[in-house]
mmCIF file of all heavy atoms in Angstrom:
data_model
loop_
_atom_site.group_PDB
_atom_site.id
_atom_site.type_symbol
_atom_site.label_atom_id
_atom_site.label_comp_id
_atom_site.label_asym_id
_atom_site.label_seq_id
_atom_site.Cartn_x
_atom_site.Cartn_y
_atom_site.Cartn_z
ATOM 1 N N ASP Q 193 -49.569 -99.714 -33.953
ATOM 2 C CA ASP Q 193 -50.162 -98.376 -33.821
ATOM 3 C C ASP Q 193 -49.128 -97.256 -34.008
ATOM 4 O O ASP Q 193 -48.953 -96.407 -33.151
ATOM 5 C CB ASP Q 193 -50.887 -98.225 -32.473
ATOM 6 C CG ASP Q 193 -51.731 -96.945 -32.450
ATOM 7 O OD1 ASP Q 193 -52.080 -96.430 -33.533
ATOM 8 O OD2 ASP Q 193 -52.040 -96.464 -31.369
ATOM 9 N N VAL Q 194 -48.424 -97.359 -35.148
ATOM 10 C CA VAL Q 194 -47.327 -96.445 -35.460
ATOM 11 C C VAL Q 194 -47.768 -95.528 -36.577
ATOM 12 O O VAL Q 194 -48.496 -95.917 -37.512
ATOM 13 C CB VAL Q 194 -46.095 -97.282 -35.822
ATOM 14 C CG1 VAL Q 194 -45.059 -96.524 -36.636
ATOM 15 C CG2 VAL Q 194 -45.444 -97.865 -34.546
ATOM 16 N N LEU Q 195 -47.291 -94.260 -36.543
ATOM 17 C CA LEU Q 195 -47.592 -93.313 -37.599
ATOM 18 C C LEU Q 195 -46.566 -93.438 -38.725
ATOM 19 O O LEU Q 195 -45.421 -93.918 -38.490
ATOM 20 C CB LEU Q 195 -47.552 -91.867 -37.067
ATOM 21 C CG LEU Q 195 -48.492 -91.539 -35.903
ATOM 22 C CD1 LEU Q 195 -48.283 -90.128 -35.393
ATOM 23 C CD2 LEU Q 195 -49.955 -91.758 -36.364
ATOM 24 N N CYS Q 196 -46.911 -93.021 -39.900
ATOM 25 C CA CYS Q 196 -45.979 -93.040 -41.026
ATOM 26 C C CYS Q 196 -45.781 -91.619 -41.544
ATOM 27 O O CYS Q 196 -46.780 -90.973 -41.909
ATOM 28 C CB CYS Q 196 -46.483 -93.964 -42.112
ATOM 29 S SG CYS Q 196 -45.352 -94.030 -43.535
ATOM 30 N N ILE Q 197 -44.555 -91.160 -41.588
ATOM 31 C CA ILE Q 197 -44.187 -89.902 -42.213
ATOM 32 C C ILE Q 197 -43.615 -90.251 -43.558
ATOM 33 O O ILE Q 197 -42.562 -90.889 -43.637
ATOM 34 C CB ILE Q 197 -43.148 -89.095 -41.378
ATOM 35 C CG1 ILE Q 197 -43.637 -89.011 -39.898
ATOM 36 C CG2 ILE Q 197 -42.898 -87.735 -41.961
ATOM 37 C CD1 ILE Q 197 -42.509 -88.508 -38.985
ATOM 38 N N SER Q 198 -44.311 -89.883 -44.644
ATOM 39 C CA SER Q 198 -43.903 -90.376 -45.971
ATOM 40 C C SER Q 198 -43.419 -89.171 -46.811
ATOM 41 O O SER Q 198 -44.185 -88.355 -47.272
ATOM 42 C CB SER Q 198 -45.084 -91.037 -46.630
ATOM 43 O OG SER Q 198 -44.661 -91.622 -47.848
ATOM 44 N N ASP Q 199 -42.078 -89.122 -46.982
ATOM 45 C CA ASP Q 199 -41.480 -88.074 -47.776
ATOM 46 C C ASP Q 199 -41.465 -88.498 -49.237
ATOM 47 O O ASP Q 199 -40.781 -89.415 -49.627
ATOM 48 C CB ASP Q 199 -40.034 -87.883 -47.251
ATOM 49 C CG ASP Q 199 -39.165 -86.957 -48.154
ATOM 50 O OD1 ASP Q 199 -39.620 -86.544 -49.203
ATOM 51 O OD2 ASP Q 199 -38.017 -86.692 -47.742
ATOM 52 N N GLU Q 200 -42.320 -87.842 -50.036
ATOM 53 C CA GLU Q 200 -42.529 -88.242 -51.451
ATOM 54 C C GLU Q 200 -42.089 -87.154 -52.435
ATOM 55 O O GLU Q 200 -42.673 -86.982 -53.490
ATOM 56 C CB GLU Q 200 -43.991 -88.655 -51.632
ATOM 57 C CG GLU Q 200 -44.381 -89.759 -50.645
ATOM 58 C CD GLU Q 200 -45.818 -90.275 -50.748
ATOM 59 O OE1 GLU Q 200 -46.549 -89.911 -51.694
ATOM 60 O OE2 GLU Q 200 -46.226 -91.029 -49.850
ATOM 61 N N VAL Q 201 -41.006 -86.433 -52.089
ATOM 62 C CA VAL Q 201 -40.626 -85.312 -52.945
ATOM 63 C C VAL Q 201 -40.206 -85.725 -54.354
ATOM 64 O O VAL Q 201 -40.209 -84.894 -55.267
ATOM 65 C CB VAL Q 201 -39.520 -84.410 -52.307
ATOM 66 C CG1 VAL Q 201 -40.024 -83.771 -51.054
ATOM 67 C CG2 VAL Q 201 -38.247 -85.185 -52.034
ATOM 68 N N TYR Q 202 -39.798 -86.985 -54.536
ATOM 69 C CA TYR Q 202 -39.414 -87.429 -55.900
ATOM 70 C C TYR Q 202 -40.537 -88.196 -56.585
ATOM 71 O O TYR Q 202 -40.298 -88.986 -57.498
ATOM 72 C CB TYR Q 202 -38.134 -88.313 -55.785
ATOM 73 C CG TYR Q 202 -36.959 -87.584 -55.161
ATOM 74 C CD1 TYR Q 202 -36.628 -87.777 -53.831
ATOM 75 C CD2 TYR Q 202 -36.189 -86.683 -55.926
ATOM 76 C CE1 TYR Q 202 -35.582 -87.056 -53.236
ATOM 77 C CE2 TYR Q 202 -35.126 -85.996 -55.357
ATOM 78 C CZ TYR Q 202 -34.837 -86.182 -54.016
ATOM 79 O OH TYR Q 202 -33.806 -85.486 -53.438
ATOM 80 N N GLU Q 203 -41.760 -87.947 -56.142
ATOM 81 C CA GLU Q 203 -42.945 -88.734 -56.651
ATOM 82 C C GLU Q 203 -43.073 -88.696 -58.170
ATOM 83 O O GLU Q 203 -43.583 -89.637 -58.785
ATOM 84 C CB GLU Q 203 -44.214 -88.288 -55.959
ATOM 85 C CG GLU Q 203 -44.558 -86.829 -56.269
ATOM 86 C CD GLU Q 203 -45.760 -86.300 -55.454
ATOM 87 O OE1 GLU Q 203 -46.786 -86.947 -55.436
ATOM 88 O OE2 GLU Q 203 -45.637 -85.216 -54.816
ATOM 89 N N HIS Q 204 -42.664 -87.591 -58.800
ATOM 90 C CA HIS Q 204 -42.840 -87.504 -60.250
ATOM 91 C C HIS Q 204 -41.555 -87.927 -61.013
ATOM 92 O O HIS Q 204 -41.529 -87.783 -62.249
ATOM 93 C CB HIS Q 204 -43.230 -86.078 -60.652
ATOM 94 C CG HIS Q 204 -44.597 -85.743 -60.162
ATOM 95 N ND1 HIS Q 204 -45.764 -86.314 -60.657
ATOM 96 C CD2 HIS Q 204 -45.010 -84.910 -59.168
ATOM 97 C CE1 HIS Q 204 -46.820 -85.862 -60.001
ATOM 98 N NE2 HIS Q 204 -46.425 -85.008 -59.114
ATOM 99 N N LEU Q 205 -40.550 -88.372 -60.292
ATOM 100 C CA LEU Q 205 -39.330 -88.810 -60.965
ATOM 101 C C LEU Q 205 -39.176 -90.325 -60.802
ATOM 102 O O LEU Q 205 -38.363 -90.827 -60.037
ATOM 103 C CB LEU Q 205 -38.074 -88.102 -60.355
ATOM 104 C CG LEU Q 205 -38.033 -86.589 -60.638
ATOM 105 C CD1 LEU Q 205 -36.871 -85.995 -59.907
ATOM 106 C CD2 LEU Q 205 -37.949 -86.315 -62.121
ATOM 107 N N VAL Q 206 -40.017 -91.051 -61.501
ATOM 108 C CA VAL Q 206 -40.045 -92.511 -61.454
ATOM 109 C C VAL Q 206 -39.815 -93.058 -62.872
ATOM 110 O O VAL Q 206 -40.583 -92.736 -63.780
ATOM 111 C CB VAL Q 206 -41.350 -93.038 -60.856
ATOM 112 C CG1 VAL Q 206 -41.414 -94.565 -60.894
ATOM 113 C CG2 VAL Q 206 -41.488 -92.558 -59.384
ATOM 114 N N PHE Q 207 -38.779 -93.890 -63.004
ATOM 115 C CA PHE Q 207 -38.407 -94.456 -64.321
ATOM 116 C C PHE Q 207 -38.919 -95.888 -64.469
ATOM 117 O O PHE Q 207 -39.233 -96.335 -65.567
ATOM 118 C CB PHE Q 207 -36.904 -94.407 -64.565
ATOM 119 C CG PHE Q 207 -36.309 -93.047 -64.261
ATOM 120 C CD1 PHE Q 207 -35.596 -92.806 -63.096
ATOM 121 C CD2 PHE Q 207 -36.506 -91.988 -65.134
ATOM 122 C CE1 PHE Q 207 -35.066 -91.545 -62.807
ATOM 123 C CE2 PHE Q 207 -35.967 -90.757 -64.885
ATOM 124 C CZ PHE Q 207 -35.243 -90.525 -63.709
ATOM 125 N N GLU Q 208 -38.845 -96.664 -63.379
ATOM 126 C CA GLU Q 208 -39.334 -98.039 -63.415
ATOM 127 C C GLU Q 208 -40.341 -98.223 -62.311
ATOM 128 O O GLU Q 208 -40.140 -97.657 -61.228
ATOM 129 C CB GLU Q 208 -38.241 -99.076 -63.093
ATOM 130 C CG GLU Q 208 -36.864 -99.043 -63.719
ATOM 131 C CD GLU Q 208 -36.744 -98.811 -65.211
ATOM 132 O OE1 GLU Q 208 -37.666 -99.225 -65.972
ATOM 133 O OE2 GLU Q 208 -35.711 -98.256 -65.585
#
Side-chain angles (χ1 to χ4, degrees):
D193 190 21
V194 160
L195 302 176
C196 180
I197 308 168
S198 187
D199 169 356
E200 304 181 9
V201 295
Y202 300 98
E203 62 188 310
H204 294 290
L205 293 177
V206 174
F207 310 104
E208 314 314 331

